[in-house]
Amino acid sequence: MGGTLNSPLPIALYKTTAFITTASRMRVMDTVSGKVTATISPHSTPESDSEWASPGQASAPLLATSAGARVVIAPFVVKLSGTGTQASHVAVEVTATDADTGRVVWRVALRPPEWDSAGDLQATAVGADHGVAVIRVSTSDDEYSAAYGVDLNRPRQLWSVDEFEADAVTSQTVAGALLEDDEQRPAGFDLATGKRLWQGSVGTGVGVGPVGPRLLHVRGENPDNADPYHRLVDARTGRTLHTLPADLGDSDTDCTYDGLGVMVCAYGMGGSRVAYGLDATDGKVLWHLPDKQADRIAPKVTTAWHGRVYGETTNGAIALDARTGKDLPSPGAAPLLVNESTGIGLGDSGLTAYPTSS
């Protein structure tokens, strides 16, 4: 991890393999043995060749499907040297690695807008759907951002949208925040064409997250009174389907979709923590902690996956039923990432991989 624990972790899990990125390379690690089985580097020179990644420089690679095969998409900010009268410039090299073999199957180069001279660029694989992946390129201060659609089956750039901070991909839509004249507003674009489908009202701290196959969680703050809002909206139309509880927290509240129909939201620190379980189809509150009547406290939620919520309290690692909020037997660890084979959590001296069953 280069000595820095970023959140979210710059790791993707596929079966028992972890794909770990820094700003300059991606390592393929067998989580059973702990051995690095491959190292993926960009062809061009990385803009940052340091193993010590500062927060934001490295983001999680993306699991997707390309020409019927499972691949891992990882973008790298690189330097392209000029020749003759051709100027040098910064680019983003998108790599696709076969998830089963660890071999690079294709590369695509993207050219950022003219603000690439701003320096400190970072590239993120946002999501993929129906054969198109979205790559976000932005400056470290988030002042500038652009999104690119990449065809996964015939590797090439399909479209680009400047002044757009892409956050989520679902229902053939990419959604995020439009950055126009120092204002932010949520917006959605068609994944195949890059054409705008909808846009919302101006706000601050705008962020968007995917919730299942057709919904988005849109959060932000009203610019008039700074009141936070959380909404479930239709990804294709931007229509608000449900306004989430007013006490859900500020715009930085962390929400995670468990992949089966429940959105888990949590915020706070120490004794002031709050956690919600919400039905991802209609926004209905399924459970809420703390529960004074039942003498239950809220955990620090680390992740949620396939019907389980993982986290920790002062009593140690906990697991909850995602739909009921009831306590389940302790898993013995609070994973930050989990799939059907492996959980990755904090150990005594760094990250530790655990089998999800024995």
Side-chain angles (χ1 to χ4, degrees):
M1 298 298 293
T4 301
L5 182 62
N6 294 332
S7 181
L9 295 178
I11 299 174
L13 286 176
Y14 174 72
K15 298 180 180 177
T16 58
T17 303
F19 295 84
I20 307 170
T21 55
T22 65
S24 59
R25 58 186 57 86
M26 179 173 70
R27 287 192 171 90
V28 184
M29 177 179 285
D30 183 336
T31 62
V32 177
S33 66
K35 293 182 179 179
V36 174
T37 59
T39 299
I40 311 301
S41 300
H43 268 327
S44 301
T45 304
E47 178 74 358
S48 173
D49 199 29
S50 172
E51 280 292 286
W52 295 82
S54 62
Q57 269 194 316
S59 58
L62 173 69
L63 280 170
T65 300
S66 173
R70 292 295 279 169
V71 296
V72 180
I73 306 297
F76 299 97
V77 179
V78 297
K79 295 179 286 187
L80 298 183
S81 300
T83 57
T85 60
Q86 183 67 46
S88 301
H89 62 84
V90 175
V92 173
E93 185 177 309
V94 182
T95 63
T97 301
D98 189 292
D100 290 297
T101 66
R103 296 179 180 176
V104 176
V105 292
W106 52 259
R107 302 172 190 265
V108 169
L110 307 175
R111 178 71 186 272
E114 293 181 359
W115 45 258
D116 62 2
S117 59
D120 294 327
L121 291 188
Q122 51 199 37
T124 302
V126 177
D129 188 30
H130 281 69
V132 179
V134 175
I135 306 299
R136 181 179 71 234
V137 181
S138 57
T139 53
S140 57
D141 58 7
D142 292 328
E143 183 176 357
Y144 301 99
S145 188
Y148 298 81
V150 175
D151 189 326
L152 295 173
N153 298 314
R154 298 173 57 197
R156 61 197 172 106
Q157 178 183 323
L158 291 174
W159 50 262
S160 65
V161 179
D162 197 3
E163 297 185 321
F164 175 55
E165 188 175 284
D167 283 335
V169 173
T170 193
S171 191
Q172 302 182 59
T173 304
V174 53
L178 279 175
L179 311 175
E180 299 176 344
D181 300 325
D182 297 325
E183 295 180 338
Q184 296 182 8
R185 62 177 73 226
F189 291 78
D190 183 74
L191 196 58
T193 64
K195 294 182 179 180
R196 188 162 64 193
L197 299 172
W198 56 269
Q199 67 178 30
S201 57
V202 172
T204 59
V206 173
V208 181
V211 183
R214 69 180 188 90
L215 299 182
L216 296 167
H217 167 221
V218 177
R219 65 188 184 277
E221 294 180 356
N222 187 313
D224 296 327
N225 54 24
D227 285 344
Y229 64 81
H230 293 265
R231 300 168 184 152
L232 286 184
V233 308
D234 182 280
R236 292 297 289 177
T237 66
R239 183 169 64 93
T240 297
L241 302 177
H242 193 82
T243 299
L244 302 183
D247 63 342
L248 194 60
D250 59 27
S251 60
D252 292 327
T253 296
D254 187 27
C255 293
T256 304
Y257 178 58
D258 81 333
L260 288 183
V262 177
M263 184 170 70
V264 180
C265 297
Y267 71 97
M269 298 181 64
S272 62
R273 294 191 187 279
V274 172
Y276 273 91
L278 304 158
D279 190 297
T281 59
D282 59 13
K284 177 183 177 182
V285 175
L286 300 172
W287 53 268
H288 173 221
L289 291 175
D291 184 343
K292 293 184 178 180
Q293 185 174 357
D295 197 26
R296 299 180 68 204
I297 60 176
K300 175 185 178 181
V301 174
T302 55
T303 193
W305 191 78
H306 284 206
R308 289 193 175 212
V309 181
Y310 298 94
E312 54 190 4
T313 68
T314 54
N315 301 319
I318 61 94
L320 306 176
D321 183 294
R323 187 152 288 277
T324 67
K326 293 182 178 180
D327 285 284
L328 297 173
S330 172
L336 301 168
L337 284 174
V338 67
N339 68 0
E340 73 281 359
S341 303
T342 306
I344 294 180
L346 283 173
D348 293 335
S349 58
L351 295 177
T352 303
Y354 305 86
T356 55
S357 62
S358 57

